[in-house]
Amino acid sequence: MKQKILFIFGTRPEAIKMAPLIKEFQKHPDELETKICVTAQHRQMLDQVLDLFDIKPDFDLDIMEEGQSLLQLTSRVFSGLEKIFSETKPDWVLVQGDTSTVMAAGVAAFYAGIKVGHVEAGLRSHNRYAPFPEEINRRIASVVADAHFAPTETARQALLAEGIDGKTIYVTGNTVIDALLWVRDKVKQNPPEIAGSLKEKILNKKIVLVTGHRRESFGEGFEQICLALRDIAEQNKDVVVIYPVHFNPNVREPVNRILNGHENILLIEPLSYTDFVWLMDKSYLILTDSGGVQEEAPSLGKPILVMREVTERMEGIEAGTAKLVGTDRNKIVSETSRLFTDKLEYERMSKAINPYGDGKASEKIRNIIVSK
Ligand code: UD1
Ligand code: UDP
């Protein structure tokens, strides 16, 4: 019987990771009726991805507000979904990852008696406050989900350890690799516009690419990160630090205050996924607290210093391509400097590996849903 699927997502990373899955589902209209609801927990950063993948939502809750609190945004997701569920009556709701959109949409679907498929299930830092609130969001998603699409065997084991029925867990790889490979091929054939606009600024420079937005680092953590970036730029004149700054006002304030106007630091607006993949590929190394970037960088053979105290993406650390450096200024500076001077260490961390997927996760997930 043809199944009706409602995709629900709201932020940039969810959109990037859902896009290949939506495309895959839409290729099979005989088996699957696909509906798309965006909460728009993010606005501009979500729309950038929808444009790139040419995805047209059937429903848009448009909930984002400047400087939104967790409670405000979560309650807007809950109240927006009731009408959509009663209009669409889906067999499955599919959610991805660990944002508040995922947690609320998963619980809302469960309340409405709709089956929940959780994409990127089983990631755990085992610390309820880091990343905050994502560790608890994804645990809640696991409790309400009927099918768990785990990216790796480690994720499957984490779900089993929490008593989830093994028959409902499927190791599929992470759909982010499907998206990454598609975009990487696209930019190889056709370098994006940013290649031209950055040409002069990056000529003969080593690019240190930076992203950062985690809530648990707001305040002191971000001050330390920014001071470290300033030290790195001051101590290494052959380096350009490029930081597409997340729109969250708690990020923008310290970043602009501490780093604006610095000679070899480029603060830019969040990039389209195409531009960002191109820039990752051109980088010498990446400093980040992002989940998605931790998954993408090893595929591109880029060393990555993770500006967090803990991570749920241990596969990259274990493979030796990523290292946890926390938010301590001295540690960030010393580990970055080491990668400029210690060639062996740099080579060791630059291995191109794919611990998170093979680019076929979307197809695997579609086959599983169709067989249900
Ligand atoms: C959210 C997710 C986080 C995810 C991250 C990806 C939660 C609680 N947090 O964090 O898990 O890793 O997205 O980036 O679910 N803003 C804009 N335009 C945008 C996006 C954000 O202006 O396109 C600003 C708004 O002022 C908004 C604020 O950023 O209120 C925070 O957005 P929000 O989604 O609450 O938190 P993020 O830090 O983006
Ligand atoms: N990304 C992007 N433009 C940028 C910065 C990041 O497209 O300017 C992509 C990145 O490649 C990854 C995703 O956004 O796929 C990560 O999003 P984010 O760091 O906001 O969220 P997280 O992964 O930490 O949840």
Side-chain angles (χ1 to χ4, degrees):
M1 202 184 64
K2 189 162 159 172
Q3 310 222 47
K4 192 184 277 185
I5 314 296
L6 179 63
F7 285 86
I8 306 179
F9 54 98
T11 65
R12 168 173 69 191
E14 294 159 71
I16 290 170
K17 292 169 172 180
M18 282 300 212
L21 201 53
I22 291 172
K23 293 287 169 201
E24 176 66 26
F25 276 45
Q26 286 175 336
K27 276 196 260 166
H28 298 272
D30 46 326
E31 294 170 328
L32 297 161
E33 182 180 342
T34 304
K35 296 276 179 203
I36 299 159
C37 170
V38 294
T39 63
Q41 174 179 335
H42 284 173
R43 187 71 273 171
Q44 307 93 306
M45 284 159 56
L46 172 75
D47 291 343
Q48 280 181 320
V49 185
L50 297 178
D51 286 350
L52 170 66
F53 289 93
D54 193 25
I55 290 173
K56 304 211 176 352
D58 300 283
F59 307 97
D60 189 334
L61 301 185
D62 199 21
I63 64 163
M64 195 197 87
E65 283 178 9
E66 179 76 19
Q68 61 204 3
S69 73
L70 292 176
L71 286 180
Q72 287 162 2
L73 90 89
T74 305
S75 63
R76 286 196 291 274
V77 176
F78 276 125
S79 56
L81 284 177
E82 184 153 34
K83 187 161 167 277
I84 291 164
F85 288 161
S86 58
E87 264 179 43
T88 23
K89 298 191 173 46
D91 299 301
W92 285 91
V93 157
L94 290 191
V95 290
Q96 195 289 332
D98 53 18
T99 66
S100 296
T101 284
V102 176
M103 184 276 292
V107 172
F110 171 72
Y111 282 177
I114 303 162
K115 285 181 286 186
V116 177
H118 185 207
V119 180
E120 197 186 78
L123 274 60
R124 298 290 185 269
S125 68
H126 304 289
N127 177 336
R128 35 198 275 128
Y129 297 107
F132 174 87
E134 291 82 3
E135 176 74 2
I136 292 298
N137 284 345
R138 56 194 172 218
R139 288 197 214 173
I140 295 172
S142 296
V143 174
V144 295
D146 298 276
H148 310 261
F149 302 108
T152 63
E153 179 56 28
T154 308
R156 188 176 84 90
Q157 291 300 334
L159 292 168
L160 289 173
E162 288 172 15
I164 306 274
D165 179 356
K167 291 195 285 301
T168 64
I169 308 171
Y170 307 89
V171 179
T172 59
N174 197 313
T175 55
V176 77
I177 305 298
D178 306 18
L180 177 71
L181 297 183
W182 183 74
V183 171
R184 193 192 57 186
D185 288 349
K186 200 166 110 92
V187 296
K188 274 207 173 122
Q189 286 162 19
N190 218 342
E193 231 169 76
I194 192 177
S197 59
L198 284 182
K199 200 168 165 197
E200 298 298 320
K201 296 189 175 107
I202 63 177
L203 196 67
N204 301 325
K205 300 262 193 198
K206 286 192 181 107
I207 299 172
V208 173
L209 179 61
V210 182
T211 78
H213 67 82
R214 301 246 77 89
R215 270 180 162 74
E216 67 275 13
S217 304
F218 290 170
E220 181 58 20
F222 261 94
E223 298 274 330
Q224 291 279 314
I225 288 172
C226 292
L227 291 169
L229 296 175
R230 203 173 65 186
D231 292 346
I232 292 164
E234 279 173 0
Q235 290 164 18
N236 302 280
K237 294 296 171 199
D238 60 337
V239 160
V240 58
V241 174
I242 307 185
Y243 188 165
V245 188
H246 193 288
F247 283 120
N248 195 317
N250 295 297
V251 176
R252 292 221 148 182
E253 190 282 317
V255 169
N256 286 329
R257 174 166 44 82
I258 300 172
L259 300 176
N260 215 354
H262 211 281
E263 199 188 344
N264 47 340
I265 299 180
L266 275 184
L267 302 180
I268 55 178
E269 294 298 307
L271 294 172
S272 74
Y273 189 48
T274 319
D275 286 347
F276 191 74
V277 169
W278 179 86
L279 197 51
M280 276 198 288
D281 206 36
K282 287 278 166 279
S283 296
Y284 182 80
L285 71 93
I286 301 173
L287 286 172
T288 192
D289 64 14
S290 159
V293 177
Q294 285 180 68
E295 291 152 352
E296 292 160 342
S299 272
L300 300 173
K302 297 297 166 181
I304 177 164
L305 299 179
V306 181
M307 298 186 292
R308 297 191 192 182
E309 306 305 327
V310 289
T311 182
E312 58 289 333
R313 275 113 171 150
M314 284 304 291
E315 293 87 345
I317 309 271
E318 281 155 11
T321 64
K323 208 185 265 182
L324 276 179
V325 295
T327 56
D328 177 73
R329 175 181 183 177
N330 293 332
K331 174 103 172 154
I332 297 170
V333 174
S334 64
E335 290 293 346
T336 304
S337 303
R338 184 167 175 207
L339 287 173
F340 292 143
T341 51
D342 185 342
K343 291 290 162 218
L344 273 180
E345 177 69 354
Y346 184 81
E347 301 281 303
R348 194 184 66 76
M349 288 187 72
S350 305
K351 279 181 295 195
I353 53 154
N354 243 331
Y356 299 105
D358 59 4
K360 296 192 167 56
S362 305
E363 198 183 318
K364 288 177 197 155
I365 294 171
R366 176 184 60 80
N367 283 330
I368 294 159
I369 291 282
V370 168
S371 72
K372 291 237 157 230

